Amino acid sequence: QGEEVTILDAEGNIENKRSVIVITSQNNIISNLTITGGFTLGSGGGILYTAGNNLLLRDIIISENSAQGFGSGIYIDGPCDINNAIIKNNDFFTESSNGMGAIYIDIYPQIGNIKISNSIIMNNSGGIGGGLFAGFLDSELNDIELIIENTIFKNNSANLGAGGIYIQYTMVPIIFKNVSIYNNEAPIGAGIIINGSQNITFHNSVIYNNSATDYSGGLHLIYSANTNLINTIIWNNTPESINLIPDTEEHVPNINYSNIEGDTTWYGEG
């Protein structure tokens, strides 16, 4: 058996507004903890991390927290390593909220990597990026990398777009390795939206069975170049697998040894 898990419940509500944990110091380790009951008009319903220097999360559950701003489950503004986490059932507490991400990552102006591994992000809801919202500065200004591996995004929803994941305005390398994105819902880009970004790579990953009511069920690319799909499957998404805006040569993803459902011919190796 593993170590005993402690439950930290803020018991937040409309009259008792608070994040469960607010981190403003450096070099913190949080493990074997369930974080629940956060309720804030700001960001970071479960964890609000603004220290900007080295947060380590291990064997944690972040569930049933609410926010009105960014990061209903966790707001990350600095180097962070999340391993063996379950982030579930977090939301934004007004139906009209345009809140972003059960996990919200905003590295500006910090320096350092962010890694999410061996985790499950599920049953979260928001306005944009139901499971994850990430945005960065130019890589020349920030020596950072986002790595997501051995992780599942499932059953998340967004009322505007990107039920699973939303990536916005980044030149920073983002690597998805052994990641599954499935059963997510949104009007646009149900699986994942990549907007105005470059240097996004999927290795050995799957995007499947996501459903958009308007368009782009699987992968939605908006003015994004150098998106790489390697040994990756995009299948059974509604209404289509990949949607490009604009549909020009420089925005077509690089596809190698992958399986993409649909009538479009994609060029690459394998």
Side-chain angles (χ1 to χ4, degrees):
Q1 293 182 341
E3 298 181 46
E4 183 176 350
V5 175
T6 299
I7 298 175
L8 189 60
D9 189 345
E11 298 182 346
N13 54 51
I14 194 65
E15 296 179 354
N16 182 27
K17 305 177 186 70
R18 65 183 72 179
S19 298
V20 182
I21 298 175
V22 178
I23 301 172
T24 57
S25 59
Q26 299 182 358
N27 301 317
N28 295 275
I29 299 174
I30 299 174
S31 63
N32 298 295
L33 190 65
T34 294
I35 298 164
T36 190
F39 192 101
T40 177
L41 293 177
S43 298
I47 298 176
L48 177 61
Y49 167 45
T50 60
N53 196 353
N54 298 332
L55 172 63
L56 178 62
L57 302 176
R58 288 284 187 273
D59 303 312
I60 64 165
I61 298 173
I62 302 174
S63 69
E64 299 180 12
N65 301 284
S66 294
Q68 191 171 31
F70 307 140
S72 57
I74 178 171
Y75 178 98
I76 299 171
D77 183 12
C80 183
D81 189 338
I82 301 173
N83 186 28
N84 197 28
I86 298 174
I87 300 173
K88 64 177 182 177
N89 301 327
N90 301 284
D91 62 16
F92 294 87
F93 56 82
T94 60
E95 290 185 1
S96 61
S97 173
N98 295 333
M100 301 175 183
I103 306 170
Y104 184 92
I105 299 174
D106 183 2
I107 200 70
Y108 176 83
Q110 308 299 341
I111 298 175
N113 292 337
I114 295 173
K115 184 176 183 180
I116 302 171
S117 57
N118 306 311
S119 296
I120 300 174
I121 295 90
M122 66 179 187
N123 301 334
N124 303 287
S125 60
I128 303 174
L132 168 70
F133 185 105
F136 301 90
L137 286 180
D138 193 308
S139 59
E140 294 181 359
L141 301 177
N142 287 267
D143 182 20
I144 61 174
E145 188 175 58
L146 171 60
I147 300 172
I148 302 175
E149 64 180 1
N150 303 323
T151 290
I152 295 171
F153 293 83
K154 67 176 182 177
N155 302 331
N156 301 289
S157 63
N159 58 34
L160 294 178
I165 299 170
Y166 189 95
I167 306 293
Q168 174 175 269
Y169 307 145
T170 175
M171 306 298 111
V172 170
I174 299 178
I175 300 171
F176 294 88
K177 185 176 181 181
N178 300 322
V179 171
S180 296
I181 303 168
Y182 63 92
N183 291 354
N184 302 287
E185 297 181 349
I188 301 169
I192 177 169
I193 292 177
I194 301 175
N195 183 12
S197 302
Q198 297 185 25
N199 303 320
I200 315 294
T201 301
F202 295 83
H203 289 277
N204 303 318
S205 295
V206 293
I207 303 172
Y208 69 97
N209 205 39
N210 300 285
S211 179
T213 54
D214 293 339
Y215 58 88
S216 193
L219 171 62
H220 187 38
L221 298 175
I222 307 171
Y223 287 96
S224 295
N226 197 30
T227 301
N228 305 289
L229 305 175
I230 303 168
N231 292 324
T232 289
I233 297 171
I234 304 181
W235 204 266
N236 200 37
N237 300 283
T238 304
E240 71 268 75
S241 293
I242 300 177
N243 186 274
L244 305 180
I245 298 178
D247 188 359
T248 58
E249 184 176 352
E250 65 179 305
H251 298 103
V252 172
N254 305 310
I255 300 176
N256 294 288
Y257 303 100
S258 296
N259 196 349
I260 313 298
E261 183 182 32
D263 295 332
T264 301
T265 299
W266 303 100
Y267 296 97
E269 297 181 1

